[in-house]
């Protein structure tokens, strides 16, 4: 059974909570008691329908308690798939939260109110989708009931979004669904009121989205997370390199190279979650044994000899700044690339993107919260990374402030 | 007969949890696994064993014993520790009471749930723990603290909104200052059904109280409570025998049973699925009350 992680985006009142509630309801992922509570809540509000947005109401309660929620996780399942929705309800720190939620996601659901069409927020959402190279963006054009179920309205918005996506340089696959989240049209069930739409419902789209295949096809990248040495009589000589295979596949008998040493050995045994296997694939937590002792420790990278990556102590990256404390050139941070941490210095700020105009502003002296832009970095030791475009699983990093220990930025490697 | 696909455990969740547990062992000097005897912490122990296989688990389990546990849970705990060879540390709420640090609650609803927080915090500082892994899941409670996989706490075990870091990609930042520690939730993304399906697929043993058995209970607020010396009862609350099972394992004073004939894992999973899936499941009312119970149980502990 697959797990599909999705991020949702929309501005206030576009119907995001209703849509999520609808997905939960139509996939029967809610219990009777929660539904009854929602029905009672709807009656209390004087509504003549069941307001499914109340299903994610825990969030509202928290808001009332004065706690800001940044990213909320919502779970539902169909017989074939488990879904995890990362929803960012916050407004103030919206960009930061969207990026955080989206950094785990393979797909985006972007909501647009049919009456309003493309708005500034839509641009921001698509920009983030591009930044994170989200594979598929589902554009859900909602509240079609308030737009006369009009195909012309739908087509008009579709054309606008496509044009915008082109300006932004978005490479994601775009899928458009006309919907009435409130009544469930084209969410899980095809709408009878929009018979002109013959495409898939949103849920059908989600169900048919291939999961993770691309990650398997990339070169193998195996950062060593932990070295397992049992020191027991039974496993006296066992030396296992444990970690998550970030991308690619590995086979027993394959020749691999350890970085930075560049020394090679052959995979003698492979384990996926403690089970001995002949092959492992991307995303699995694995352990491997080699036929030679290469003196590998945490933070080293294991790759295949035919597709190694080069080490570099100097890189250009796009940063999404997430801290209240500003970034200034010359500052030192800890750079965490996967499970590997090195000291790093921002040597220069090249530009900052104005998300609203998409212009690159030059001559910027610092980044504040939610700023996005290109910087030059130097690291204390070479990083065995790929560019984010080549391999998103080995091309991203975070920056950690050495004094506050906060995670202050997400980084996307552009050149090494 | 094939199992319906909804009952298949999504393995990606296991890989994710193992990754998190390994990261804890690598990033922290003195981590521990908080063991409650419940199914979620039993799953955690199993995941930890897999994470370091064939080496032993490199951290101890810590149990905060309220003194009001089901005897079945304690027996299970001791057997698990013996079988896995994982070091078991136990700290007692009774000791906190005796030391005058906390006061026993009184009245009909008295329990030691709130008291265990003090015992836990004391244990953390006594044992100098810098990370405590727990089996909390995001789907069971919407409390903010659980939204992070690594949740930073101050000296008082308090959660400070400003100290919660964005968790990007799969990167876990466990850097802390002296006096701080981190609560870690490796099965954050699992649902209750995921846990049960995993238990079934991995053939994990559970304390017997999870399965239907005959037991003396009293009825209170429409719920069935296990009769025990720890439960303060009124005269009208007369114990009677019923066939029940428990869906969570807390203290005997605040864990209600559900009427059930499900005495096998398949039976239990079937009941949970029907409660989740069917719109008019007969056992829904149980589910509602249990959800409320779980909440009470969790106040304070995490
Ligand atoms: N007419 C109509 N109203 C909708 C639709 N979807 C949501 N709404 C309503 O729009 C309002 C805002 O919805 P909500 O889901 O709370 O929006 P959010 O702020 O994006 O989460 C609520 O009153 C919903 O009932 C729809 O498709 N049609």
């Amino acid at each position: 059974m697959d797990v599909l992680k999705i991020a949702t985006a929309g501005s206030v009142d576009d119907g995001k909570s209703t849509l999520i509630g609808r997905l939960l309801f139509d996939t029967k992922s809610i219990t009777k008691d929660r539904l009854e509570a929602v029905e009672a809540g709807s009656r209390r509000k004087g509504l003549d329908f069941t307001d499914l947005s109340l299903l994610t109401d825990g969030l509202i309660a928290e808001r009332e308690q004065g706690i800001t929620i940044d990213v909320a996780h919502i779970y539902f399942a169909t017989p074939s798939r488990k879904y995890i929705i990362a929803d960012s309800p916050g407004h103030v720190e919206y960009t930061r939260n969207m990026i955080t939620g989206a950094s785990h996601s393979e797909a985006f659901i972007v909501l647009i109110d049919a009456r309003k069409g493309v708005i500034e927020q839509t641009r921001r959402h698509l920009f983030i989708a591009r930044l994170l190279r989200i594979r598929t963006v589902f554009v859900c054009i909602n509240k079609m009931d308030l737009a006369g179920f009009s195909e012309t309205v739908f087509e008009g918005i579709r054309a606008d979004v496509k044009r915008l996506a082109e300006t932004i340089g978005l490479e994601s696959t775009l899928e458009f669904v006309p919907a009435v989240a409130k009544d469930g049209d084209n969410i899980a069930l095809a709408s009878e009121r929009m018979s002109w739409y013959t495409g898939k419902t949103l849920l059908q789209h989600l169900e048919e989205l291939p999961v993770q295949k691309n990650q398997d096809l990339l070169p193998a990248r195996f950062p060593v997370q932990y070295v397992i040495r049992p020191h027991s009589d039974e496993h006296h000589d066992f030396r296992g390199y444990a970690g998550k295979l970030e991308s690619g596949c590995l086979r027993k008998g394959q020749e691999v190279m350890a970085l930075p040493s560049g020394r090679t050995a052959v995979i003698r045994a492979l384990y996926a979650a403690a089970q001995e296997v002949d092959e492992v694939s991307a995303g699995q937590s694995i352990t491997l044994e080699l036929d030679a002792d290469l003196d590998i420790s945490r933070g080293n990278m294991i790759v295949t000899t035919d597709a190694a990556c080069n080490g570099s102590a100097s890189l250009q990256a796009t940063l999404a700044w997430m801290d209240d404390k500003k970034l200034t050139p010359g500052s030192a941070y800890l750079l965490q690339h996967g499970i590997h941490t090195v000291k790093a210095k921002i040597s220069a700020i090249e530009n900052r993107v104005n998300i609203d105009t998409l212009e690159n502003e030059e001559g910027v002296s610092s980044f504040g919260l939610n700023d996005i832009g290109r910087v030059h970095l130097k690291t204390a030791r070479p990083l065995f990374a790929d560019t984010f475009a080549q391999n998103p699983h080995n091309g991203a990093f975070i920056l950690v402030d050495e004094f506050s220990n906060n995670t202050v930025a997400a980084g996307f490697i552009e050149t090494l | 007969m094939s199992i319906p696909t909804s009952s298949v455990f999504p393995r990606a969740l296991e890989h994710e949890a193992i990754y998190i547990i390994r990261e804890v062992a690598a990033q922290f000097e003195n981590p521990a696994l908080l063991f409650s005897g419940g199914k979620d912490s039993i799953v955690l122990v199993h995941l930890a064993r897999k994470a370091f296989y064939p080496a032993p688990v490199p951290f101890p389990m810590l149990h905060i014993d309220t003194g009001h546990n089901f005897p079945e849970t304690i027996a299970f705990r001791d057997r698990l520790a013996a079988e896995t060879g994982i070091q078991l540390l136990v700290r007692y709420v009774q000791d906190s009471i005796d030391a005058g640090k906390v006061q026993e609650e009184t009245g009909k609803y008295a329990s030691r749930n709130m008291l265990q927080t003090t015992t836990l915090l004391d244990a953390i500082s006594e044992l100098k723990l810098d990370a405590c892994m727990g089996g909390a899941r995001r789907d069971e409670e919407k409390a903010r603290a659980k939204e992070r996989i690594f949740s930073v706490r101050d000296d008082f075990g308090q959660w400070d909104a400003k100290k919660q870091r964005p968790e990007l990609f799969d990167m876990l930042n466990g850097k802390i200052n002296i006096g701080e520690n981190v609560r870690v939730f490796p099965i954050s993304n699992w649902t209750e059904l995921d846990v049960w399906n995993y238990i079934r697929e991995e053939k994990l043993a559970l304390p017997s109280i999870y399965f239907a058995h005959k037991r003396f209970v009293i009825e209170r607020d429409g719920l069935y409570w296990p009769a025990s010396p720890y439960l303060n009862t009124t005269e009208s609350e007369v114990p009677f025998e019923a066939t029940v099972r428990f869906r969570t394992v807390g203290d005997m004073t605040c864990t209600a049973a559900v009427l059930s004939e499900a005495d096998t894992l398949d039976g239990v999973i079937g009941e949970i699925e029907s409660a989740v899936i069917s719109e008019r499941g007969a056992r829904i009312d149980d589910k509602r009350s249990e959800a409320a119970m779980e909440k009470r149980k969790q106040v304070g502990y995490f």
Side-chain angles (χ1 to χ4, degrees):
Chain A
M1 192 185 198
D2 297 327
V3 176
L4 185 65
K5 297 188 177 179
I6 321 162
T8 46
S11 24
V12 191
D13 282 346
D14 282 351
K16 196 158 53 110
S17 318
T18 309
L19 177 107
I20 293 171
R22 178 51 70 176
L23 282 169
L24 295 176
F25 179 78
D26 285 349
T27 55
K28 297 189 168 44
S29 301
I30 48 174
T31 51
K32 180 87 187 301
D33 59 313
R34 280 177 74 195
L35 185 59
E36 278 172 358
V38 165
E39 281 166 350
S42 304
R43 276 194 303 275
R44 249 195 324 275
K45 284 172 63 182
L47 301 174
D48 58 358
F49 62 96
T50 304
D51 183 357
L52 291 173
S53 76
L54 298 177
L55 266 176
T56 44
D57 221 24
L59 307 180
I60 294 166
E62 284 170 34
R63 214 172 296 163
E64 282 163 357
Q65 289 163 26
I67 309 169
T68 354
I69 296 147
D70 37 24
V71 183
H73 298 84
I74 298 142
Y75 303 83
F76 71 96
T78 63
S80 55
R81 231 166 228 189
K82 173 184 168 112
Y83 293 91
I84 304 178
I85 297 182
D87 183 42
S88 324
H91 308 298
V92 184
E93 293 175 350
Y94 196 69
T95 303
R96 173 180 108 162
N97 301 337
M98 273 294 313
I99 292 173
T100 304
S103 73
H104 301 270
S105 303
E106 294 181 63
F108 243 39
I109 299 176
V110 174
L111 258 90
I112 293 180
D113 185 327
R115 295 169 303 174
K116 298 186 201 150
V118 170
I119 55 170
E120 281 309 313
Q121 281 286 359
T122 317
R123 179 192 296 272
R124 194 164 279 253
H125 297 149
L126 296 186
F127 183 84
I128 291 171
R130 192 202 72 169
L131 182 68
L132 284 140
R133 307 186 81 85
I134 298 286
R135 227 168 358 118
T136 312
V137 177
F138 299 104
V139 181
C140 198
I141 300 172
N142 192 35
K143 304 201 184 183
M144 286 297 291
D145 55 327
L146 303 180
F149 302 105
S150 157
E151 183 173 7
T152 323
V153 169
F154 174 73
E155 289 300 341
I157 297 174
R158 190 222 289 259
D160 289 348
V161 173
K162 282 197 157 159
R163 214 169 308 125
L164 180 60
E166 213 160 287
T167 341
I168 291 175
L170 182 73
E171 288 169 28
S172 319
T173 310
L174 285 169
E175 303 283 0
F176 295 84
V177 180
V180 183
K182 185 165 153 275
D183 303 328
D185 296 58
N186 290 333
I187 305 299
L189 297 172
S191 170
E192 286 171 10
R193 302 187 283 185
M194 288 178 276
S195 51
W196 48 264
Y197 176 75
T198 50
K200 293 175 195 163
T201 64
L202 179 64
L203 187 62
Q204 261 172 333
H205 272 303
L206 296 176
E207 290 278 274
E208 290 169 21
L209 189 73
V211 172
Q212 224 200 49
K213 293 285 171 289
N214 303 3
Q215 202 180 341
D216 284 349
L217 299 175
L218 292 166
R221 296 289 179 257
F222 179 53
V224 175
Q225 193 183 4
Y226 195 90
V227 181
I228 297 177
R229 298 288 325 262
H231 299 295
S232 62
D233 292 344
E234 193 187 344
H235 303 282
H236 189 73
D237 295 322
F238 188 97
R239 183 190 290 268
Y241 303 108
K244 172 151 76 165
L245 182 59
E246 289 288 351
S247 62
C249 295
L250 289 174
R251 282 184 333 273
K252 197 171 154 175
Q254 201 168 10
E255 186 175 54
V256 292
M257 182 194 286
L259 297 168
S261 76
R263 294 172 64 192
T264 61
V266 169
I267 298 176
R268 185 166 66 190
L270 272 173
Y271 305 82
Q275 181 89 46
E276 187 155 7
V277 290
D278 289 333
E279 194 174 86
V280 289
S281 56
Q284 293 187 316
S285 274
I286 66 166
T287 303
L288 60 79
E289 279 184 280
L290 299 176
D291 68 349
D293 179 5
L294 299 189
D295 192 24
I296 296 169
S297 54
R298 174 171 162 91
N300 289 174
M301 174 76 84
I302 291 177
V303 297
T304 53
T305 42
D306 57 347
C309 47
N310 293 321
S312 170
S314 154
L315 49 130
Q316 275 179 294
T318 296
L319 285 190
W321 199 254
M322 305 197 159
D323 203 41
D324 294 324
K325 206 166 101 195
K326 283 186 182 330
L327 158 85
T328 43
S331 332
Y333 295 92
L334 294 174
L335 183 155
Q336 187 174 342
H337 169 237
I339 50 100
H340 182 46
T341 302
V342 295
K343 284 199 182 211
K345 192 176 218 157
I346 315 279
S347 40
I349 295 180
E350 191 178 308
N351 62 40
R352 178 173 62 197
V353 193
N354 180 326
I355 301 189
D356 298 327
T357 62
L358 296 174
E359 267 165 38
N360 289 335
E361 303 167 346
E362 321 252 318
V364 175
S365 61
S366 71
F367 283 176
L369 181 64
N370 290 332
D371 278 347
I372 296 173
R374 175 99 54 117
V375 300
H376 295 248
L377 291 126
K378 294 238 181 305
T379 55
R381 268 174 293 148
L383 222 53
F384 291 89
D386 296 285
T387 65
F388 191 70
Q390 280 169 340
N391 187 341
H393 305 278
N394 194 42
F397 60 84
I398 57 173
L399 291 182
V400 175
D401 184 304
E402 272 191 278
F403 303 99
S404 69
N405 292 324
N406 278 341
T407 301
V408 295
F412 306 86
I413 300 174
E414 306 281 353
T415 51
L416 281 155
Chain B
M1 203 184 78
S2 69
I3 341 172
T5 37
S6 65
S7 287
V8 175
F9 173 76
R11 284 286 148 183
L13 296 178
E14 181 185 48
H15 290 291
E16 179 181 87
I18 290 176
Y19 169 78
I20 296 164
I21 293 169
R22 285 172 171 168
E23 209 48 20
V24 171
Q27 288 196 27
F28 297 93
E29 279 172 21
N30 214 3
L33 188 158
L34 296 182
F35 186 78
S36 69
K39 63 181 191 316
D40 298 327
S41 60
I42 291 167
V43 162
L44 268 194
V45 168
H46 186 67
L47 290 164
R49 294 181 73 195
K50 283 196 174 195
F52 304 102
Y53 173 86
V57 174
F59 41 75
M61 14 188 214
L62 170 63
H63 184 222
I64 303 301
D65 190 338
T66 59
H68 288 177
N69 293 95
F70 287 90
E72 292 90 335
T73 309
I74 300 298
F76 185 92
R77 175 196 78 188
D78 293 342
R79 205 164 52 237
L80 187 71
E83 277 168 18
T84 60
I86 303 176
Q87 185 192 5
L88 172 67
L89 302 168
V90 184
R91 292 296 178 270
Y92 299 90
V93 170
Q94 188 63 51
D95 290 344
S96 304
I97 296 172
D98 294 345
K101 292 189 163 170
V102 291
Q103 245 186 350
E104 190 96 76
E105 293 177 7
T106 54
K108 191 167 144 186
Y109 294 101
S111 93
R112 287 183 167 183
N113 260 318
M114 302 298 260
L115 310 189
Q116 57 184 330
T117 309
T118 301
T119 315
L120 172 64
L121 294 182
D122 285 350
I124 288 174
S125 58
E126 174 213 331
L127 300 165
K128 300 190 170 56
L129 301 179
D130 50 6
C132 292
M133 277 167 275
R137 293 175 281 112
R138 285 169 176 153
D139 89 316
E140 59 182 338
E141 211 213 329
K142 290 229 161 68
R144 174 74 165 65
K146 288 184 190 169
E147 286 175 11
R148 293 293 189 278
I149 288 175
F150 275 19
S151 176
V152 182
R153 306 300 169 96
D154 65 15
D155 251 345
F156 306 97
Q158 303 221 17
W159 178 87
D160 174 355
K162 294 222 170 58
K163 290 224 160 94
Q164 305 311 312
R165 304 154 179 173
E167 284 182 339
L168 292 144
F169 311 100
D170 56 4
M171 296 174 209
L172 297 165
N173 168 8
K175 288 180 196 66
I176 47 173
N177 292 318
I178 292 169
E180 291 176 337
N181 62 82
V182 176
R183 300 289 164 84
V184 181
F185 306 108
I187 60 169
S188 281
N189 283 327
W190 299 33
T191 60
E192 185 179 16
L193 199 54
D194 292 331
V195 171
W196 281 107
N197 282 326
Y198 187 67
I199 288 168
R200 172 160 65 185
E201 287 181 25
E202 297 291 303
K203 301 188 174 62
L204 301 187
L206 290 181
S208 55
I209 59 170
Y210 276 113
F211 303 99
H213 58 285
K214 280 200 165 36
R215 166 183 299 269
F216 278 93
V217 295
I218 63 140
E219 194 178 342
R220 174 189 291 176
D221 306 337
L223 301 173
Y224 302 98
W225 303 85
S228 80
Y230 317 122
L231 189 68
N232 300 339
T233 52
T234 61
E235 257 175 42
S236 60
E237 294 173 327
V238 184
F240 60 95
E241 200 175 34
T243 304
V244 298
R245 65 177 172 85
F246 293 89
R247 290 194 43 194
T248 62
V249 173
D251 275 4
M252 295 190 81
T253 52
C254 58
T255 308
V258 294
L259 296 180
S260 165
E261 299 290 333
D263 54 4
T264 61
L265 259 184
D266 286 338
V268 172
I269 292 175
E271 286 193 357
I272 292 165
E273 278 189 321
S274 70
V276 173
I277 291 165
S278 84
E279 281 184 35
R280 280 183 230 302
R283 293 174 194 86
I284 285 303
D285 288 337
D286 302 337
K287 164 89 184 156
R288 175 200 316 203
S289 37
E290 282 170 34
M293 274 317 107
E294 281 199 38
K295 246 201 201 113
R296 262 190 64 181
K297 182 184 140 214
Q298 277 151 0
V299 185
Y301 200 58
F302 276 101

